[in-house]
Amino acid sequence: MNALKGSRTAKVFAGIALISASAIVIAGCSSTPSSESGGSDKPAADLTLKLGSLLPQTGSLAFLGPPMESGVGLAVQEVNEAAAGVTIDLTAEDEGDTDTKAYETSITKLQGAGVSAIVGAAASGVSKLILDGNVSAGILQISASNTSPDFTTWDDSGLYFRTAPSDLLQGEVLGNLIAEDGAKSLGIIYQNDAYGTGLNDAITTTFEGTGGEVVESVSFNVGDAQFDAQVESIKAQNPDAVAIVSFDQFKTIAPLLVNAGISADKFYMVDGNLSDYGSEIPVSLEGAQGTKAGPALADDFTTRLQDYRTGEGNPEVKDFTYAAEAYDAVILVALASLAAGSTEGADIAAKMQEVSGGSGDGKKCTSFAECAKIINDGGVADYDGYSGDITFDEAGDPQGASIGIYKYGADNMITRTN
């Protein structure tokens, strides 16, 4: 599973060879570009792209569902309103988590709907369970929040991409932050899955590389509801700082730590549990810090996101974690489909690096409509999105990424500090 990848071109050809006749039907039908281009107002193609989303409506990552689903929905709306050669037909299904296994039914529904590409899953652990099946079916998979380092070397035939950076980067930033704050000893509570173990390893390596010592590292399983033993183990070592790598289990773990005498200003959190909790947690988180990927979002994007969400009859988004990454994932898939003149998963994948700027000779653009015009006029588009410049490398990873540092105030709400 972790054999090193070859060139992107070789990977795409391998993906084509793997697709059976039935899988090609599942992946969608192709269209060829119109011969009219070069300044014409007529789009270079007229494509209907069947897109699936597999995001957490339930389960331990359900708090990430609203921002990510809204990012996907807004992008689909704006692609379709542009009328620039691609119309997206979206099918949305629930990911759940590795404990509830909602994804098993959902992925069958998505493949049955004939999707060519899937945005998701949110959890690295779920993506690991569905990726090989999607590759065999010729379906492109792009995640807005998978951060496990394992995907960099996954044998995915060129069909897997992500708009979020590897945990190696987030773990390095968090480990250095803890050391820079003066901690010499660290305790870590982490969930025992691809996400948790990856971050635990990255934080440990970085922190100990600064001369600090991880004095205790204890895990729990997704689906666990009791964390007394883990908190007792951490308390017994009395570390200067505690890193908590979890999803919404943090709502239970935080009060236990505080009640054990470990103040929240010693807490260091990650993207999976960094949220505006307000009164949802019955103890003060003031002084706690955490990291998550992505630059500070432009006000126009967050306004459009809220307008879209409330227009669909939903409450406002509570926070925007991975909303930009989800939005950009859809835009990139649509642009790659337009550039390829096709809705085949492998054909789209072959253009993903190009439209993200990987070819090095594209023209910069920051919206689907702007980028689509470049493509329809016969040029090469280089999309820079709300999550950053992106620019996929040969492994389908974004080459550059921003990791923000956040701090909790007395109201248990986060403020970006860098």
Side-chain angles (χ1 to χ4, degrees), residues 225-250:
Q226 301 294 324
F227 308 98
D228 298 87
Q230 289 87 350
V231 170
E232 288 175 7
S233 294
I234 295 294
K235 175 62 177 176
Q237 297 300 322
N238 193 31
D240 297 333
V242 180
I244 305 102
V245 182
S246 72
F247 295 150
D248 69 350
Q249 302 93 339
F250 179 77

Side-chain angles (χ1 to χ4, degrees), residues 16-202:
I16 294 172
L18 284 171
I19 302 172
S20 66
S22 61
I24 291 175
V25 172
I26 288 174
C29 51
S30 286
S31 298
T32 54
S34 165
S35 59
E36 298 183 44
S37 59
S40 170
D41 290 335
K42 183 176 180 180
D46 183 10
L47 306 167
T48 298
L49 173 64
K50 292 187 176 182
L51 179 70
S53 70
L54 185 68
L55 298 171
Q57 299 166 7
T58 63
S60 57
L61 267 183
F63 75 96
L64 285 181
M68 296 176 76
E69 288 191 317
S70 298
V72 168
L74 177 63
V76 169
Q77 180 185 79
E78 294 182 352
V79 168
N80 291 346
E81 287 176 348
V86 177
T87 300
I88 297 178
D89 179 6
L90 177 67
T91 302
E93 296 292 341
D94 180 23
E95 169 185 346
D97 57 34
T98 54
D99 184 50
T100 65
K101 295 182 170 57
Y103 63 86
E104 292 180 347
T105 300
S106 296
I107 199 69
T108 300
K109 290 180 180 177
L110 290 174
Q111 292 188 1
V115 301
S116 300
I118 292 173
V119 179
S124 293
V126 172
S127 282
K128 287 187 174 186
L129 295 170
I130 65 171
L131 180 52
D132 288 346
N134 286 333
V135 170
S136 295
I139 297 172
L140 182 152
Q141 183 174 334
I142 180 168
S143 175
S145 56
N146 284 171
T147 54
S148 170
D150 293 345
F151 292 111
T152 299
T153 54
W154 200 278
D155 185 11
D156 57 36
S157 298
L159 290 169
Y160 176 84
F161 299 83
R162 54 179 165 182
T163 48
S166 165
D167 282 329
L168 294 178
L169 179 58
Q170 184 179 190
E172 180 180 347
V173 172
L174 190 64
N176 281 323
L177 173 65
I178 297 168
E180 289 166 4
D181 285 348
K184 300 299 182 184
S185 60
L186 174 66
I188 304 176
I189 299 177
Y190 69 97
Q191 61 190 42
N192 187 23
D193 65 358
Y195 172 77
T197 56
L199 268 171
N200 174 62
D201 291 345

